[in-house]
Coordinates of all heavy atoms in Angstrom, one line a residue:
I1128 N 98.5 201.6 -4.3 CA 99.5 202.0 -5.3 C 100.9 201.4 -5.0 O 101.6 200.9 -5.9 CB 99.6 203.5 -5.4 CG1 98.2 204.0 -6.0 CG2 100.7 204.0 -6.3 CD1 98.1 205.5 -6.0
M1129 N 101.3 201.4 -3.7 CA 102.6 201.0 -3.3 C 102.6 199.4 -3.6 O 103.6 198.9 -3.9 CB 103.0 201.4 -2.0 CG 103.3 202.8 -1.8 SD 104.1 203.4 -0.3 CE 102.6 203.3 0.9
A1130 N 101.5 198.8 -3.3 CA 101.4 197.3 -3.5 C 101.6 197.0 -5.0 O 102.2 195.9 -5.3 CB 100.0 196.7 -3.0
A1131 N 101.1 197.8 -5.8 CA 101.3 197.6 -7.3 C 102.7 197.7 -7.6 O 103.3 196.9 -8.4 CB 100.5 198.7 -8.1
A1132 N 103.5 198.7 -7.1 CA 104.9 198.9 -7.3 C 105.7 197.6 -6.8 O 106.6 197.1 -7.4 CB 105.4 200.1 -6.6
V1133 N 105.2 197.0 -5.6 CA 105.9 195.9 -5.0 C 105.6 194.7 -5.9 O 106.5 193.9 -6.2 CB 105.4 195.7 -3.6 CG1 105.9 194.3 -3.0 CG2 105.9 196.9 -2.6
A1134 N 104.3 194.5 -6.4 CA 104.0 193.3 -7.2 C 104.8 193.4 -8.5 O 105.4 192.3 -8.8 CB 102.5 193.4 -7.5
R1135 N 105.0 194.5 -9.0 CA 106.0 194.7 -10.2 C 107.4 194.2 -9.9 O 107.9 193.4 -10.6 CB 105.9 196.1 -10.7 CG 105.0 196.4 -11.7 CD 105.7 196.2 -13.0 NE 104.7 196.1 -14.1 CZ 104.3 194.9 -14.7 NH1 104.7 193.8 -14.2 NH2 103.4 194.9 -15.6
H1136 N 107.8 194.8 -8.8 CA 109.2 194.5 -8.3 C 109.4 193.0 -8.0 O 110.5 192.4 -8.3 CB 109.5 195.3 -7.1 CG 111.0 195.3 -6.7 ND1 111.8 196.2 -7.3 CD2 111.7 194.5 -5.9 CE1 113.1 195.9 -6.8 NE2 112.9 195.0 -6.0
A1137 N 108.3 192.3 -7.5 CA 108.3 191.0 -7.2 C 108.1 190.0 -8.3 O 108.0 188.8 -8.2 CB 107.3 190.6 -6.1
G1138 N 108.0 190.5 -9.5 CA 108.0 189.8 -10.7 C 106.7 189.3 -11.3 O 106.5 188.4 -12.1
A1139 N 105.6 190.1 -10.9 CA 104.3 189.7 -11.5 C 104.3 190.1 -13.0 O 105.0 191.0 -13.4 CB 103.1 190.6 -10.8
R1140 N 103.5 189.5 -13.7 CA 103.4 189.7 -15.2 C 102.5 190.9 -15.4 O 103.0 192.0 -15.8 CB 102.9 188.4 -15.9 CG 102.7 188.7 -17.4 CD 102.5 187.6 -18.2 NE 101.3 186.8 -17.8 CZ 100.8 185.7 -18.4 NH1 101.5 185.3 -19.5 NH2 99.7 185.1 -18.0
N1141 N 101.2 190.7 -15.2 CA 100.3 191.8 -15.3 C 99.9 192.4 -13.9 O 99.6 191.5 -13.1 CB 99.1 191.5 -16.1 CG 99.3 191.2 -17.5 OD1 99.7 192.0 -18.3 ND2 99.2 190.0 -17.9
V1142 N 99.9 193.7 -13.8 CA 99.4 194.2 -12.4 C 98.4 195.2 -12.9 O 98.5 196.2 -13.6 CB 100.4 194.9 -11.7 CG1 99.9 195.5 -10.4 CG2 101.6 194.0 -11.3
V1143 N 97.1 195.0 -12.4 CA 95.9 195.8 -12.7 C 95.4 196.3 -11.4 O 95.3 195.6 -10.4 CB 94.8 195.0 -13.5 CG1 93.5 195.9 -13.6 CG2 95.3 194.5 -14.8
I1144 N 95.1 197.6 -11.4 CA 94.6 198.3 -10.2 C 93.3 199.0 -10.5 O 93.2 199.7 -11.5 CB 95.6 199.2 -9.6 CG1 95.3 199.7 -8.1 CG2 96.0 200.4 -10.4 CD1 96.3 200.4 -7.4
T1145 N 92.3 198.8 -9.6 CA 91.0 199.4 -9.9 C 90.7 200.4 -8.8 O 91.2 200.4 -7.7 CB 89.9 198.3 -9.8 OG1 89.6 197.8 -8.6 CG2 90.2 197.2 -11.0
D1146 N 89.8 201.4 -9.2 CA 89.2 202.3 -8.3 C 88.1 203.0 -9.0 O 87.9 202.7 -10.2 CB 90.3 203.4 -7.8 CG 90.1 203.9 -6.5 OD1 89.0 204.7 -6.3 OD2 90.8 203.7 -5.5
I1147 N 87.3 203.9 -8.3 CA 86.4 204.7 -9.0 C 86.7 206.2 -8.9 O 85.9 207.0 -9.3 CB 85.0 204.5 -8.4 CG1 84.9 204.6 -6.9 CG2 84.5 203.0 -8.8 CD1 83.6 204.5 -6.2
N1148 N 87.9 206.4 -8.3 CA 88.3 207.8 -8.1 C 89.5 208.1 -9.2 O 90.6 207.5 -9.0 CB 88.9 208.0 -6.8 CG 89.5 209.4 -6.5 OD1 90.0 210.0 -7.4 ND2 89.5 209.7 -5.2
P1149 N 89.2 209.0 -10.2 CA 90.1 209.1 -11.3 C 91.5 209.8 -10.8 O 92.5 209.5 -11.3 CB 89.4 210.1 -12.2 CG 88.2 210.6 -11.6 CD 88.0 209.6 -10.4
D1150 N 91.4 210.6 -9.8 CA 92.7 211.2 -9.3 C 93.6 210.1 -8.7 O 94.8 210.1 -9.0 CB 92.3 212.1 -8.1 CG 91.6 213.4 -8.7 OD1 91.9 214.0 -9.7 OD2 90.5 213.8 -8.0
R1151 N 93.0 209.1 -8.1 CA 93.8 208.1 -7.5 C 94.4 207.2 -8.6 O 95.6 206.7 -8.5 CB 93.0 207.2 -6.6 CG 92.7 208.1 -5.3 CD 92.1 207.2 -4.2 NE 92.6 207.9 -3.0 CZ 92.2 207.5 -1.8 NH1 91.3 206.5 -1.6 NH2 92.6 208.1 -0.7
L1152 N 93.6 207.0 -9.6 CA 94.1 206.2 -10.7 C 95.2 206.8 -11.5 O 96.1 206.2 -11.9 CB 92.9 205.7 -11.7 CG 91.9 204.8 -11.0 CD1 90.7 204.6 -11.9 CD2 92.6 203.4 -10.8
N1153 N 95.0 208.2 -11.7 CA 96.1 208.9 -12.3 C 97.5 208.9 -11.4 O 98.5 208.7 -12.0 CB 95.7 210.5 -12.4 CG 94.7 210.7 -13.5 OD1 94.6 209.9 -14.4 ND2 94.0 211.7 -13.5
L1154 N 97.3 209.0 -10.1 CA 98.5 208.9 -9.3 C 99.1 207.5 -9.4 O 100.3 207.4 -9.5 CB 98.0 209.2 -7.9 CG 99.3 209.1 -6.8 CD1 100.3 210.1 -7.1 CD2 98.7 209.3 -5.4
A1155 N 98.3 206.4 -9.5 CA 98.7 205.0 -9.6 C 99.6 205.0 -10.8 O 100.7 204.4 -10.8 CB 97.6 204.1 -9.7
E1156 N 99.2 205.6 -12.0 CA 99.9 205.6 -13.2 C 101.2 206.4 -13.1 O 102.2 206.0 -13.7 CB 99.0 206.1 -14.4 CG 98.5 205.1 -15.3 CD 97.6 205.7 -16.3 OE1 97.1 206.7 -16.2 OE2 97.4 205.0 -17.4
H1157 N 101.2 207.4 -12.4 CA 102.3 208.3 -12.1 C 103.4 207.6 -11.3 O 104.6 207.7 -11.7 CB 101.9 209.6 -11.5 CG 102.9 210.6 -11.2 ND1 103.7 211.1 -12.2 CD2 103.4 211.1 -10.0 CE1 104.6 211.9 -11.6 NE2 104.5 211.9 -10.3
V1158 N 103.0 206.8 -10.3 CA 103.9 206.2 -9.4 C 104.4 204.9 -10.0 O 105.7 204.6 -10.0 CB 103.3 205.8 -8.0 CG1 104.2 205.1 -7.1 CG2 102.7 207.2 -7.4
V1159 N 103.5 204.2 -10.7 CA 103.8 202.9 -11.3 C 103.5 202.9 -12.8 O 102.4 202.4 -13.2 CB 103.2 201.7 -10.6 CG1 103.8 200.3 -11.0 CG2 103.2 201.9 -9.1
P1160 N 104.3 203.4 -13.7 CA 103.9 203.5 -15.0 C 103.6 202.3 -15.7 O 102.8 202.3 -16.7 CB 105.2 204.2 -15.7 CG 106.0 204.8 -14.5 CD 105.7 204.0 -13.4
T1161 N 104.0 201.2 -15.2 CA 103.7 199.9 -15.9 C 102.4 199.2 -15.5 O 102.1 198.1 -15.9 CB 104.9 198.9 -15.8 OG1 105.1 198.8 -14.4 CG2 106.1 199.4 -16.5
V1162 N 101.7 199.9 -14.5 CA 100.5 199.3 -14.1 C 99.3 199.7 -15.0 O 99.3 200.7 -15.7 CB 100.2 199.7 -12.6 CG1 99.7 201.2 -12.6 CG2 99.2 198.8 -11.9
R1163 N 98.3 198.7 -15.1 CA 97.2 199.0 -15.9 C 96.1 199.4 -14.9 O 95.7 198.7 -14.0 CB 96.7 197.7 -16.7 CG 95.4 197.7 -17.3 CD 95.4 198.6 -18.6 NE 94.3 198.2 -19.5 CZ 93.1 198.8 -19.5 NH1 92.7 199.6 -18.5 NH2 92.2 198.3 -20.4
V1164 N 95.6 200.7 -15.1 CA 94.6 201.3 -14.2 C 93.2 201.0 -14.9 O 93.1 201.3 -16.0 CB 94.9 202.8 -13.9 CG1 96.2 203.0 -13.3 CG2 94.7 203.7 -15.1
V1165 N 92.2 200.8 -14.0 CA 90.8 200.5 -14.5 C 89.9 201.3 -13.6 O 89.8 201.1 -12.4 CB 90.5 199.0 -14.4 CG1 89.1 198.9 -15.0 CG2 91.5 198.2 -15.3
D1166 N 89.1 202.2 -14.3 CA 88.0 202.9 -13.6 C 86.9 202.0 -13.7 O 86.2 202.0 -14.8 CB 87.8 204.3 -14.1 CG 86.8 205.1 -13.3 OD1 85.9 204.4 -12.6 OD2 86.7 206.2 -13.5
V1167 N 86.5 201.3 -12.7 CA 85.4 200.3 -12.7 C 84.0 200.9 -12.8 O 83.0 200.2 -13.0 CB 85.5 199.2 -11.6 CG1 86.6 198.1 -11.8 CG2 85.6 199.8 -10.2
S1168 N 83.9 202.3 -12.7 CA 82.6 202.9 -12.9 C 82.4 203.2 -14.4 O 81.3 203.5 -14.8 CB 82.6 204.3 -12.1 OG 83.5 205.2 -12.7
R1169 N 83.5 203.0 -15.2 CA 83.4 203.2 -16.6 C 83.8 202.1 -17.5 O 83.5 202.0 -18.7 CB 84.3 204.5 -17.0 CG 84.0 205.7 -16.1 CD 85.2 206.6 -16.2 NE 85.5 207.1 -17.5 CZ 85.2 208.2 -18.0 NH1 84.5 209.1 -17.3 NH2 85.5 208.5 -19.3
E1170 N 84.6 201.2 -16.9 CA 85.2 200.1 -17.7 C 84.9 198.8 -17.0 O 84.9 198.7 -15.9 CB 86.7 200.3 -17.8 CG 87.4 199.8 -19.0 CD 88.9 200.1 -19.0 OE1 89.4 201.0 -18.2 OE2 89.6 199.5 -19.9
D1171 N 84.6 197.8 -17.9 CA 84.3 196.5 -17.3 C 85.6 195.6 -17.2 O 86.4 195.6 -18.1 CB 83.3 195.7 -18.3 CG 82.8 194.4 -17.7 OD1 82.1 194.5 -16.7 OD2 83.3 193.3 -18.1
L1172 N 85.7 195.0 -15.9 CA 86.9 194.2 -15.7 C 87.0 193.1 -16.7 O 88.1 192.6 -17.0 CB 86.9 193.8 -14.2 CG 88.3 193.6 -13.4 CD1 89.1 194.7 -13.7 CD2 87.9 193.5 -12.0
G1173 N 85.9 192.4 -17.0 CA 85.9 191.3 -17.9 C 86.6 191.7 -19.3 O 87.3 190.9 -19.9
D1174 N 86.3 193.0 -19.8 CA 86.9 193.4 -21.0 C 88.4 193.6 -20.8 O 89.1 193.3 -21.8 CB 86.3 194.8 -21.4 CG 84.9 194.7 -21.7 OD1 84.3 193.6 -22.0 OD2 84.2 195.8 -21.7
V1175 N 88.9 194.0 -19.7 CA 90.3 194.2 -19.4 C 91.0 192.8 -19.4 O 92.0 192.7 -20.0 CB 90.5 195.0 -18.1 CG1 91.9 195.0 -17.7 CG2 89.9 196.3 -18.1
I1176 N 90.3 191.9 -18.8 CA 90.8 190.5 -18.8 C 91.0 190.0 -20.2 O 92.0 189.4 -20.5 CB 89.9 189.6 -17.9 CG1 90.0 189.9 -16.5 CG2 90.3 188.1 -18.2 CD1 89.0 189.2 -15.5
A1177 N 90.0 190.2 -21.0 CA 90.1 189.7 -22.4 C 91.2 190.5 -23.1 O 92.0 189.9 -23.9 CB 88.7 190.0 -23.1
A1178 N 91.2 191.9 -23.0 CA 92.2 192.7 -23.7 C 93.7 192.2 -23.3 O 94.6 192.3 -24.1 CB 92.0 194.1 -23.3
L1179 N 93.9 191.8 -22.1 CA 95.2 191.4 -21.6 C 95.5 190.0 -22.0 O 96.6 189.5 -21.9 CB 95.2 191.4 -20.1 CG 95.3 192.9 -19.4 CD1 95.3 192.9 -17.9 CD2 96.5 193.7 -19.9
G1180 N 94.4 189.3 -22.6 CA 94.6 188.0 -23.0 C 94.8 186.9 -21.8 O 95.4 185.8 -22.1
L1181 N 94.2 187.2 -20.8 CA 94.2 186.4 -19.6 C 92.9 185.4 -19.9 O 91.8 185.8 -19.8 CB 94.0 187.1 -18.3 CG 94.9 188.2 -18.0 CD1 94.7 188.8 -16.6 CD2 96.4 187.7 -18.1
K1182 N 93.3 184.1 -20.0 CA 92.1 183.2 -20.4 C 91.2 183.1 -19.3 O 90.0 183.0 -19.5 CB 92.9 181.8 -20.8 CG 93.4 181.8 -22.2 CD 93.5 180.4 -22.7 CE 94.1 180.4 -24.1 NZ 95.6 180.8 -24.1
E1183 N 91.7 183.0 -18.1 CA 90.8 182.5 -17.0 C 90.8 183.5 -15.9 O 90.0 183.4 -15.0 CB 91.3 181.2 -16.4 CG 91.2 180.1 -17.4 CD 92.1 178.8 -17.0 OE1 92.0 178.6 -15.8 OE2 92.8 178.3 -17.8
G1184 N 91.5 184.6 -16.0 CA 91.5 185.6 -14.9 C 92.7 185.7 -14.2 O 93.8 185.3 -14.7
F1185 N 92.6 186.6 -13.1 CA 93.9 186.9 -12.3 C 94.2 185.7 -11.3 O 93.3 185.0 -10.8 CB 93.6 188.1 -11.5 CG 93.5 189.3 -12.4 CD1 92.2 189.8 -12.7 CD2 94.6 190.1 -12.9 CE1 92.0 190.9 -13.6 CE2 94.4 191.2 -13.7 CZ 93.1 191.6 -14.1
D1186 N 95.5 185.6 -11.1 CA 95.9 184.5 -10.2 C 95.8 184.9 -8.7 O 95.4 184.2 -7.8 CB 97.4 184.1 -10.5 CG 97.6 183.8 -11.9 OD1 97.0 182.7 -12.3 OD2 98.3 184.5 -12.6
V1187 N 96.2 186.3 -8.5 CA 96.2 186.7 -7.1 C 95.4 188.1 -7.0 O 95.6 188.9 -7.9 CB 97.6 187.0 -6.6 CG1 97.6 187.6 -5.2 CG2 98.5 185.6 -6.6
G1188 N 94.6 188.3 -5.9 CA 94.0 189.5 -5.7 C 94.4 190.2 -4.3 O 94.6 189.4 -3.4
L1189 N 94.6 191.4 -4.4 CA 95.0 192.2 -3.2 C 93.9 193.3 -2.9 O 93.8 194.2 -3.7 CB 96.5 192.9 -3.4 CG 97.5 192.0 -3.9 CD1 98.8 192.9 -4.1 CD2 97.9 190.9 -3.0
E1190 N 93.1 193.0 -2.0 CA 91.9 193.8 -1.7 C 92.3 195.0 -0.7 O 92.6 194.7 0.4 CB 90.8 193.1 -1.2 CG 89.4 193.6 -1.5 CD 89.2 195.1 -1.1 OE1 89.1 195.4 0.1 OE2 89.2 196.0 -2.0
M1191 N 92.3 196.2 -1.2 CA 92.8 197.4 -0.5 C 91.7 198.5 -0.3 O 92.1 199.5 0.3 CB 93.9 198.1 -1.2 CG 95.1 197.2 -1.6 SD 96.0 196.6 -0.1 CE 97.5 196.2 -0.8

Side-chain angles (χ1 to χ4, degrees):
I1128 293 172
M1129 290 192 283
V1133 172
R1135 264 268 164 262
H1136 192 83
R1140 178 170 59 177
N1141 291 293
V1142 180
V1143 171
I1144 190 165
T1145 66
D1146 208 294
I1147 52 173
N1148 176 335
D1150 295 314
R1151 294 194 145 171
L1152 291 169
N1153 286 339
L1154 180 62
E1156 253 175 342
H1157 178 61
V1158 177
V1159 194
T1161 55
V1162 76
R1163 170 75 156 87
V1164 302
V1165 179
D1166 183 339
V1167 282
S1168 69
R1169 306 158 61 96
E1170 209 176 346
D1171 185 71
L1172 211 43
D1174 296 342
V1175 175
I1176 291 173
L1179 290 172
L1181 308 183
K1182 284 204 180 65
E1183 298 162 41
F1185 296 93
D1186 304 296
V1187 176
L1189 311 176
E1190 208 306 290
M1191 304 293 200

